[in-house]
Amino acid sequence: MKKWLIRLSAFAGMFGVVVAALAWFALRASLPQLEGTVRVEGLSAAAGIDRDADGIPVITAADRDDLAFATGFAHAQDRFFQMDSIRRQAAGELSALIGPAALEVDRRFRFHRFRARAAAVLRGLPATHRSLFDSYAAGVNAGLDSLGARPFEYLILRATPEPWQPEDSILAVYAMFMQLNDSRARNDVRRGLAYRALPAAVYAWLYPEGTEWDAPVVGAHREQAPVPPVELYSVREVTDLPPAAGEIGKPDLNGSNNWAVGGVLTATGRALVSNDMHLGHRVPNIWYQARLRVEGLSDVTGVTLPGTPFVVAGSNGHIAWGYTNSYGDWADAVLLRPGLAPGTYRTPEGDRVFETFVEQIEVRRAAPVELEIRETIWGPVDDSIDYPDGEIAVAWLAHRPRAVNLELIRLEMADSVAAALDIAARAGIPPQNFVVGDASGNIGWTIAGQIPLKSGYPATVPFDASEGAGWIGWADPANYPRVVNPANHRIWTANARVVDNGALAMIGDGGYDLGARAGQIRDGLLARDRFAPIDMLAIQNDDRALFLDRWRNLLLETLTEERIAADPELAEYRRLVEGWIPRAAAESVGYRLVRAFRLEVQSRVFHGLTAPVRDAYGDDPALLISNQFEAALWQLLSERPDHLLPGSYESWEELLSGAVRANVDWYEERYGGRLSDRSWGERNTAAIRHPLSRAIPLLSQWLDMPRDALDGDVDLPLAQGPTFGASQRFSVSPGDEANGLMQMPTGQSGHPLSDFYRRGHDDWVHGRPRPFLPGEARYRLRLAPAPRPRP
């Protein structure tokens, strides 16, 4: 019996080894072929994919369609599961691959019916653009077919990848709209609640157009309105306390930094452009570096979006360009009025019947789920919103066919700032701050993307469009706001207000950011009169805590000797704040304590100020905080009016000291141990993860990037957090790309067994420069047209 047990155990061990070996070989088989020749159908002439030591390709073809094919081939080799996830998420089709766990995500995206909209956009494109999407899709499918096994994620999920369709590239663009826009006009709805519950002057004070922190390229900062007087508003009757903020404030903005300096400030006489696009982090990274060349015609280097056939941001030798999210007002909440008959609503042309669509969501290993969507002439009805004045329809730019096109590809051939600004104004992308510089030293800014024109309503709260107010057309590209070659030879944007007056009115306020980050970038640019890419990297890595400096002073004033004598625990707190590292440095404890103090004070003050909104509607007050609230908050702390102090406090000093005590208690409850161990890096720890590692934690060490303690924070140029930050950084002069710099948070490949999976991550963490151009070719792959069958 014992012998049989030994033999059985040995057999089981051998079987396990065999299974592990087979799994290993299956995973290895899904790595892409990097060298040799692959014959493919769909090419008109041979194309090349030459990768350097980091896996960054130079893709060369004889014409633009063949280049799209070869780009799709490379994307599919390295990133097909990522591309599949992007298109499925945009279309609301993840559940068919993942199962019921993805249903809520699918419901959220399916509301927009992007699959049908993508097909309609594709049909309306010029034939040359449709041909590019056709060629790209053919290349993707050829690249997928070239793998020795399906990508490893499908082996784990026990699923089969579906072919790429031309409209899937438009879905990838819609996915970016979802990341960068307020897709359900929730800002308008939340502001609408505040607008209804507060006196008009109080509402305007809490939601200003700007602050003293503003740093626009055109215009000046905004002066703060006076504190509302006691006869207008008081919060002394408010006695309930909010829960401890626990270091949580308003959600991070999906945004970016970019700037440019003119040629008079560089040694080469060429403009110099920098771009950090801040987005949610993932593995693999959202961007894919590449150099795309059509022999004798175009040569462009930068970052591509897997799923699309062009460079999104980069340089073509004549111009360099980049983007930040504009946070203009691209979505509105339309208040519906019921028509006379059931199932109708009022419009300026009379009552209309809702158009109803029943979307079927396929669910893996479960029954399909139906989702009914009612649409109006303005957009779909959001049944999840319970607004006191009635139902809300969402009028969003992305629902208009005009919002998406392939005009951006013309940047590959643009040879001047003027030409690039014209192209940007005709592009169909989520509207962005577009900053560009050229080889002649010119620089410029405009909005890239379509701008709707509006009339007859306040655009930041829900409005009744039944009498004719609403969108009245589209801005003429010739009338787009522009800045070209300003007198100081510098342009900068960072998701805050860029312009003023009529230009600002055209763009609108979709929740743009406080100007602190933009101001720090501006001041960094004004501090020098000569720039090279390495100087730009210093600004990109700037983590000085200038925004919190006055909060540190306030905190030290609050921690008086009397308070410390009454509460000895606060002596250590004060020592750490007094000796802080004045940067958002991973090792700084003082920075973290000052930051937490501000958020706790903000929570307590705002909780009191918005009591009527909470009493009427029960909304989460944190969601109502304006990005410009810092102005009103600091004004209160400076003037300390009794009538705007919540009644739960005897004095403003008590509110401030209570905030300190709440922080100490929160740290003790959350962590225990010594306060001196609470470094910023303990909280600001990278969590750059592969989507499958969340579902299968045992794979996390294999799939995720290291959990590095990160410098940086949201209100300074080095804007990064655990799951958010610079998805790329570059600085480059057009025509001098060889001296440009580039960083990405993950490597090129989406395959964890690839040598390129983590390449470059450590340099991104520590801010070390890496070259903008791909290096010398180490791997050469040739794509050859398959021979045509004989008749």
Side-chain angles (χ1 to χ4, degrees):
M1 182 68 177
K2 186 175 181 180
K3 288 183 179 181
W4 279 105
L5 289 175
I6 293 173
R7 290 175 182 173
L8 187 61
S9 177
F11 177 79
M14 290 175 60
F15 181 77
V17 169
V18 170
V19 170
L22 289 173
W24 175 262
F25 283 118
L27 290 173
R28 295 288 303 177
S30 62
L31 283 166
Q33 178 180 342
L34 303 180
E35 297 180 292
T37 299
V38 179
R39 294 198 172 274
V40 292
E41 294 183 1
L43 276 178
S44 63
I49 303 173
D50 296 344
R51 289 179 171 88
D52 68 4
D54 294 327
I56 301 169
V58 176
I59 305 174
T60 306
D63 63 34
R64 194 58 187 83
D65 277 357
D66 281 355
L67 183 63
F69 182 101
T71 302
F73 191 98
H75 281 167
Q77 282 188 303
D78 288 329
R79 301 284 192 89
F80 186 82
F81 181 75
Q82 175 194 17
M83 297 162 60
D84 190 17
S85 299
I86 288 172
R87 66 171 171 178
R88 284 179 179 276
Q89 185 178 63
E93 296 169 356
L94 275 173
S95 298
L97 178 67
I98 304 298
L103 258 175
E104 286 309 308
V105 175
D106 279 352
R107 286 191 179 100
R108 181 158 56 90
F109 280 79
R110 191 67 72 93
F111 171 79
H112 301 288
R113 300 182 53 250
F114 282 141
R115 173 69 72 181
R117 298 186 197 281
V121 167
L122 187 68
R123 289 192 297 270
L125 290 178
T128 53
H129 290 177
R130 290 200 306 273
S131 178
L132 284 175
F133 281 136
D134 289 341
S135 296
Y136 179 81
V140 170
N141 294 325
L144 179 63
D145 290 343
S146 75
L147 300 177
R150 54 192 161 170
F152 80 94
E153 293 94 343
Y154 297 96
L155 295 173
I156 293 172
L157 293 170
R158 290 180 291 175
T160 301
E162 295 182 1
W164 192 263
Q165 304 296 330
E167 63 264 27
D168 293 339
S169 293
I170 297 169
L171 287 173
V173 178
Y174 280 135
M176 296 305 296
F177 271 95
M178 287 290 287
Q179 281 204 55
L180 298 170
N181 286 184
D182 180 7
S183 63
R184 295 210 184 191
R186 290 297 170 84
N187 281 340
D188 286 6
V189 172
R190 291 174 185 131
R191 282 193 175 193
L193 298 177
Y195 186 78
R196 295 178 91 261
L198 298 171
V202 175
Y203 173 84
W205 175 69
L206 285 174
Y207 297 92
E209 197 175 68
T211 73
E212 63 179 318
W213 289 99
D214 292 351
V217 176
V218 176
H221 71 268
R222 295 286 194 264
E223 297 295 337
Q224 178 64 6
V227 170
V230 63
E231 59 270 19
L232 176 65
Y233 197 62
S234 173
V235 298
R236 291 303 291 161
E237 300 300 318
V238 180
T239 57
D240 64 315
L241 289 172
E247 300 188 315
I248 302 299
K250 61 182 175 61
D252 297 337
L253 288 179
N254 283 325
S256 311
N257 304 327
N258 66 3
W259 57 86
V261 298
V264 299
L265 302 179
T266 69
T268 64
R270 303 171 185 274
L272 180 55
V273 176
S274 293
N275 197 200
D276 310 347
M277 291 189 280
H278 300 139
L279 294 168
H281 288 320
R282 65 189 70 178
V283 179
N285 188 36
I286 190 169
W287 306 116
Y288 181 91
Q289 285 181 251
R291 183 174 185 178
L292 306 183
R293 301 172 59 192
V294 177
E295 294 172 356
L297 187 64
S298 65
D299 187 347
V300 58
T301 304
V303 293
T304 66
L305 175 66
T308 62
F310 52 85
V311 167
V312 173
S315 181
N316 71 1
H318 303 288
I319 64 165
W321 70 95
Y323 309 90
T324 71
N325 199 19
S326 62
Y327 284 95
D329 189 14
W330 315 123
D332 289 324
V334 178
L335 184 62
L336 298 179
R337 297 300 185 193
L340 296 177
T344 64
Y345 63 97
R346 280 165 38 192
T347 78
E349 293 77 34
D351 292 357
R352 296 189 61 151
V353 177
F354 291 99
E355 191 172 6
T356 301
F357 299 89
V358 178
E359 294 281 314
Q360 183 165 286
I361 302 174
E362 299 295 331
V363 184
R364 189 179 184 190
R365 299 194 180 98
V369 173
E370 287 190 348
L371 179 66
E372 183 176 287
I373 300 162
R374 292 177 296 147
E375 290 208 356
T376 69
I377 60 171
W378 301 290
V381 181
D382 191 344
D383 291 325
S384 69
I385 294 177
D386 183 17
Y387 196 70
D389 292 334
E391 291 192 299
I392 296 291
V394 179
W396 181 29
L397 176 69
H399 294 153
R400 306 300 199 269
R402 182 176 175 134
V404 180
N405 62 43
L406 199 52
E407 287 296 304
L408 204 66
I409 204 166
R410 295 172 56 212
L411 290 175
E412 294 179 351
M413 302 288 290
D415 60 2
S416 68
V417 161
L421 296 178
D422 287 341
I423 292 167
R426 291 173 169 80
I429 62 172
Q432 301 288 290
N433 291 309
F434 177 78
V435 168
V436 60
D438 65 27
S440 298
N442 303 296
I443 57 175
W445 164 90
T446 191
I447 292 293
Q450 298 300 296
I451 299 178
L453 298 178
K454 307 176 181 183
S455 178
Y457 66 99
T460 58
V461 296
F463 70 97
D464 179 1
S466 64
E467 301 299 327
W471 294 19
I472 57 174
W474 301 90
D476 187 325
N479 296 329
Y480 268 46
R482 290 186 178 186
V483 177
V484 179
N485 292 333
N488 64 12
H489 309 290
R490 298 162 175 87
I491 289 173
W492 59 90
T493 84
N495 311 125
R497 180 170 64 87
V498 177
V499 288
D500 216 338
N501 301 324
L504 179 62
M506 180 182 287
I507 297 166
D509 178 4
Y512 50 70
D513 203 7
L514 186 72
R517 178 160 44 98
Q520 196 160 331
I521 292 168
R522 174 203 60 194
D523 294 346
L525 292 171
L526 293 175
R528 301 182 62 90
D529 58 9
R530 213 63 165 169
F531 294 90
I534 196 68
D535 303 315
M536 298 302 208
L537 184 60
I539 298 175
Q540 290 169 310
N541 288 324
D542 182 5
D543 63 355
R544 291 172 299 151
L546 304 184
F547 174 66
L548 286 182
D549 187 62
R550 68 184 186 182
W551 283 92
R552 172 180 175 264
N553 294 335
L554 176 63
L555 182 48
L556 291 175
E557 292 170 8
T558 301
L559 294 171
T560 62
E561 291 184 7
E562 293 79 9
R563 287 205 175 89
I564 290 173
D567 191 347
E569 267 190 303
L570 298 185
E572 174 74 350
Y573 196 107
R574 181 184 172 92
R575 182 185 69 81
L576 293 167
V577 171
E578 199 164 26
W580 82 330
I581 301 171
R583 298 169 30 236
E587 65 271 25
S588 179
V589 176
Y591 176 85
R592 184 179 184 183
L593 297 182
V594 175
R595 182 183 187 275
F597 171 69
R598 174 185 171 271
L599 292 175
E600 186 64 39
V601 171
Q602 175 183 264
S603 173
R604 291 170 177 236
V605 172
F606 196 78
H607 182 83
L609 292 175
T610 57
V613 188
R614 289 182 291 105
D615 291 345
Y617 310 116
D619 202 21
D620 180 354
L623 298 175
L624 294 169
I625 295 178
S626 162
N627 293 326
Q628 312 302 320
F629 179 62
E630 179 72 12
L633 176 60
W634 193 255
Q635 185 181 33
L636 290 178
L637 297 175
S638 301
E639 301 182 19
R640 304 196 178 185
D642 287 341
H643 64 286
L644 295 180
L645 174 71
S648 44
Y649 310 103
E650 292 294 327
S651 66
W652 284 97
E653 291 77 10
E654 183 184 341
L655 184 150
L656 295 172
S657 60
V660 176
R661 184 69 251 174
N663 282 344
V664 173
D665 293 342
W666 186 83
Y667 285 123
E668 175 64 29
E669 181 181 345
R670 174 74 181 271
Y671 297 101
R674 298 175 304 175
L675 195 60
S676 59
D677 291 335
R678 305 284 73 82
S679 69
W680 175 233
E682 179 184 54
R683 181 186 186 279
N684 207 41
T685 301
I688 306 175
R689 307 184 64 184
H690 190 285
L692 288 188
S693 79
R694 302 175 187 277
I696 312 173
L698 289 175
L699 298 179
S700 61
Q701 188 172 1
W702 184 52
L703 294 177
D704 298 342
M705 293 296 112
R707 292 186 58 78
D708 302 287
L710 299 175
D711 299 335
D713 200 3
V714 293
D715 286 308
L716 38 85
L718 186 62
Q720 59 188 15
T723 61
F724 164 85
S727 55
Q728 52 71 229
R729 299 186 188 104
F730 71 67
S731 292
V732 65
S733 288
D736 190 31
E737 289 82 2
N739 291 308
L741 306 177
M742 172 78 85
Q743 295 174 343
M744 287 210 317
T746 74
Q748 281 288 101
S749 174
H751 199 303
L753 296 184
S754 169
D755 293 339
F756 315 135
Y757 190 68
R758 292 180 170 82
R759 196 70 60 83
H761 170 77
D762 198 54
D763 292 329
W764 175 86
V765 170
H766 296 99
R768 292 190 291 261
R770 292 176 63 83
F772 181 81
L773 289 177
E776 181 182 350
R778 293 283 188 90
Y779 312 92
R780 296 183 182 274
L781 181 68
R782 291 292 170 266
L783 305 181
R788 294 180 180 177
R790 293 181 179 179

